Amino acid sequence: MSKRALVPLWLLGLALSGACSRTDSADVVLRHGAIYPEAGDSGTVESLAVRNGRIVYTGTDRGVRSYIGDRTEVIELGGRMVLPGFHDTHMHPSGGITLAECTLDDLATPEAILDSVSRYATTHPALAWIRGRGWQLPVFPEANPRREWLDRVVPDRPVYLTAADGHSAWVNSKALALAGITHDTKDPPNGRIERDPLTGEPTGTLREQAEELVARLLPARTQEETRAGLVRALGMANRFGITTVHEANAGPDLLQAYAMLDSAGQLSARVIAALQTDPKAGPGQVDSLRAWRGRYRGTRYYSPKAAKIFADGVIEAKTAALLAPYTGSDTPGEPNLSPAAMDTLVAALDAAGFQVHVHAIGDRAVRMSLDAFEFARRHNGPRDARPIIAHLELIDPADIPRFAALGVIPSFQPLWAYADKYITDLTVPILGPERSRWLYPIASVARTGAHLAAGSDWSVSSMNPFEAIQVAITRRAPDAPPGPPWIPEETVDLPTMLRAYTSGGAYAAGEEASNGDLEVGKAADLIVLDRNLYRIPVTELHAVHVLLTLLDGKTVWRDRTLH
Ligand SMILES: [Zn+2]
């Protein structure tokens, strides 16, 4: 085959048109900038041109001139930094739905939370249920808020408030009564009804599957509410420079909502959706997942090609699966499915061509996931499967080299990797110092050559990638002054993190041929920043603003200060 036949036609046109005046001038030109075609590399160009959603030129200001025609939008960068758009390799855009409900994320005391719930209830007198999310576990003793406190502010209607991490729910007495949860109700599998140690009465906090006992009574959201929530979340993502997201847990409603938004041209970021699986249902569920996937063909913006498995819970509530018991306890926490069940489910999903995306927090859940990917590879033969493990809070050092060896993509949530109250009050005391050394071992995993990716887990925590990048580098709170890092061995550098959010993300999405860097021919998914990340103190990273976000060359976010 001749070499020319491999060159796309539009590139050919570009080559032939030379320096003479073009009929095919660019749609958008960015010039006089510090454009980093590869985010993790210090090499820059001054200018970039976009036509039909793709990058057609990168180079000098002089060279870009011939791309400027009558209808070209020229953006004067004034030396500003340009990077490829960011990938968030684990988030829950459905959190956008709850932004319209009672949100409790930033409240630091029980009083503030109760005030907020009370205000919300008063201003929404017609709602049958008071519903909300975002309370932080460390605000309450042992992460265990009580129903009586809610009863005081909302005695007459049921209240259902999920914690920021989604793994606990706090309800009032009315909600418990409607669900028929009493002293005699047994804990469901993979769930716990917190009880008063003296009376055995339910206290109002429900863990994991126990949440469902009440959640199933909640009025269903309408498709309009769902779609509006997703649009809201993706719009937020664009403001943070995010152009691709992995929807980490999509049930039928969400799959349908994304498909409708996609066909209406309303997706402002590329969405890789991971279909929800039931850890108890075994490989028998794969046929129906396949049918769901088949209903929505993959497009440029929507690809429901992944499947999500929750391998365990969270450490703070002792629902994460550990290799050895929690300190001061004789239980290591149970995984949501047995190792054998995990192996067969992962192998069946892999054989059906799904990209398996696992939630694993405890070192046992991480090991089980790696074992299952190894099993699937043996069982199905090797393929370019790119499985993802997200969260990776605690990894046994013996398992660290296995990510690179097995081609498993580690998707860390770097914002979690500093000693906040979740760590100091709720995690280290129940892991002990020896194991705690291996909390979020980002550098150790990166050093093995694994394809590092990163995500926010929003709405569990902030969506802002600049905060997360800073924390990965400093292992300190985003707003903390310079000082000693928490577990200094695990700090990484800026290029490593920028790669994780761009080319690493594109690899995790299976899109490295079309985005993740700003090479000619790739999609014009790019961002303009108000500061150059390479030229500011690391403690300033969290305050960086995105001025412009392009997806396929289209503006999906533009700050008013960018002229
Ligand atoms: Zn998640």
Side-chain angles (χ1 to χ4, degrees):
M1 192 190 284
S2 86
K3 211 171 168 192
R4 225 172 96 170
L6 292 171
V7 179
L9 279 178
W10 58 266
L11 247 187
L12 203 64
L14 185 68
L16 294 175
S17 56
C20 50
S21 86
R22 293 163 185 282
T23 49
D24 53 353
S25 51
D27 302 322
V28 185
V29 160
L30 294 94
R31 64 178 180 184
H32 307 307
I35 301 170
Y36 290 73
E38 287 176 43
D41 190 310
S42 55
T44 59
V45 296
E46 296 168 323
S47 289
L48 179 150
V50 178
R51 184 168 52 236
N52 295 333
R54 290 180 191 267
I55 297 165
V56 292
Y57 172 85
T58 62
T60 61
D61 289 331
R62 174 187 281 269
V64 86
R65 273 190 218 156
S66 59
Y67 288 86
I68 301 174
D70 296 344
R71 291 188 302 126
T72 306
E73 183 191 3
V74 179
I75 297 169
E76 303 289 355
L77 294 169
R80 290 197 185 94
M81 183 182 216
V82 175
L83 289 175
F86 286 163
H87 286 242
D88 188 318
T89 310
H90 186 104
M91 71 145 84
H92 302 276
S94 55
I97 305 165
T98 60
L99 287 180
E101 299 170 351
C102 181
T103 55
L104 306 166
D105 297 78
D106 297 322
L107 305 174
T109 64
E111 295 72 28
I113 289 173
L114 289 166
D115 271 358
S116 183
V117 175
S118 168
R119 238 176 302 126
Y120 182 85
T122 316
T123 50
H124 295 82
L127 289 178
W129 281 75
I130 300 303
R131 184 171 188 175
R133 62 159 298 284
W135 56 274
Q136 303 290 343
L137 300 177
V139 169
F140 300 99
E142 291 167 339
N144 228 337
R146 308 276 303 205
R147 63 186 159 91
E148 298 88 340
W149 306 340
L150 281 177
D151 294 346
R152 241 173 274 149
V153 293
V154 189
D156 50 344
R157 288 178 282 173
V159 180
Y160 181 82
L161 304 170
T162 44
D165 71 359
H167 292 266
S168 295
W170 176 21
V171 301
N172 65 352
S173 298
K174 187 92 185 168
L176 287 173
L178 284 172
I181 300 173
T182 66
H183 181 278
D184 302 321
T185 309
K186 289 209 170 49
D187 286 352
N190 301 125
R192 185 163 77 237
I193 301 165
E194 294 289 359
R195 299 164 202 270
D196 187 289
L198 299 175
T199 64
E201 290 294 332
T203 55
T205 302
L206 308 169
R207 311 283 186 204
E208 304 290 344
Q209 285 307 309
E211 291 177 303
E212 276 305 307
L213 300 174
V214 175
R216 62 190 164 82
L217 305 176
L218 291 165
R221 275 143 180 159
T222 65
Q223 263 290 327
E224 290 72 35
E225 283 170 331
T226 303
R227 288 199 301 273
L230 297 177
V231 166
R232 206 177 285 131
L234 296 180
M236 262 178 87
N238 299 147
R239 295 178 70 130
F240 288 123
I242 295 163
T243 49
T244 300
V245 305
H246 288 243
E247 154 61 66
N249 197 29
D253 285 356
L254 285 183
L255 289 173
Q256 191 193 350
Y258 283 117
M260 288 181 74
L261 290 173
D262 185 29
S263 48
Q266 286 183 288
L267 288 181
S268 66
R270 302 180 202 280
V271 177
I272 316 287
L275 279 62
Q276 196 171 61
T277 67
D278 174 354
K280 295 290 178 227
Q285 66 191 303
V286 174
D287 279 347
S288 102
L289 294 171
R290 200 193 247 154
W292 275 107
R293 180 181 59 185
R295 227 173 270 192
Y296 308 112
R297 71 198 161 85
T299 69
R300 268 181 88 67
Y301 299 107
Y302 179 42
S303 179
K305 65 178 181 181
K308 168 75 174 297
I309 300 174
F310 277 97
D312 67 344
V314 294
I315 291 177
E316 297 90 341
K318 299 189 188 177
T319 51
L322 304 183
L323 291 166
Y326 285 93
T327 301
S329 145
D330 50 10
T331 155
E334 276 302 305
N336 289 337
L337 63 183
S338 72
M342 180 94 180
D343 286 353
T344 47
L345 180 55
V346 167
L349 290 166
D350 179 67
F354 282 101
Q355 177 182 34
V356 180
H357 188 140
V358 178
H359 161 122
I361 291 222
D363 52 4
R364 180 167 185 225
V366 174
R367 179 168 295 173
M368 272 176 55
S369 308
L370 292 164
D371 288 348
F373 293 133
E374 198 172 338
F375 175 86
R377 182 190 263 204
R378 237 184 3 252
H379 194 266
N380 302 332
R383 69 174 190 102
D384 191 6
R386 304 195 191 184
I388 297 173
I389 306 181
H391 309 327
L392 300 164
E393 187 160 347
L394 183 68
I395 310 180
D396 188 274
D399 289 321
I400 285 174
R402 299 179 70 202
F403 289 86
L406 294 167
V408 176
I409 295 164
S411 172
F412 282 101
Q413 281 59 64
L415 182 61
W416 299 351
Y418 70 94
D420 63 355
K421 282 182 179 241
Y422 280 85
I423 295 286
T424 57
D425 297 5
L426 299 175
T427 301
V428 174
I430 58 176
L431 292 181
E434 204 171 307
R435 274 189 293 197
S436 296
R437 153 66 184 90
W438 297 104
L439 286 163
Y440 307 114
I442 303 175
S444 295
V445 173
R447 269 195 295 273
T448 63
H451 283 278
L452 203 64
S456 63
D457 203 17
W458 188 83
S459 56
V460 169
S461 39
S462 161
M463 200 195 280
N464 184 348
F466 301 97
E467 289 178 359
I469 290 169
Q470 179 183 321
V471 170
I473 299 168
T474 62
R475 305 274 292 199
R476 294 171 63 78
D479 56 357
W486 174 64
I487 319 182
E489 298 88 337
E490 298 300 344
T491 58
V492 290
D493 61 11
L494 179 61
T496 301
M497 287 320 295
L498 291 181
R499 277 194 292 273
Y501 274 98
T502 56
S503 51
Y507 182 84
E511 292 181 346
E512 72 276 17
S514 59
N515 67 55
D517 61 54
L518 303 178
E519 265 173 37
V520 169
K522 293 205 171 160
D525 293 4
L526 59 84
I527 58 179
V528 177
L529 307 182
D530 69 341
R531 274 160 271 193
N532 188 320
L533 308 182
Y534 284 115
R535 306 232 171 95
I536 56 173
V538 64
T539 46
E540 208 183 282
L541 283 171
H542 70 279
V544 167
H545 285 289
V546 176
L547 302 178
L548 180 72
T549 303
L550 302 186
L551 177 75
D552 268 349
K554 286 193 291 288
T555 300
V556 290
W557 158 246
R558 186 172 189 139
D559 189 276
R560 275 174 300 143
T561 63
L562 184 75
H563 300 295

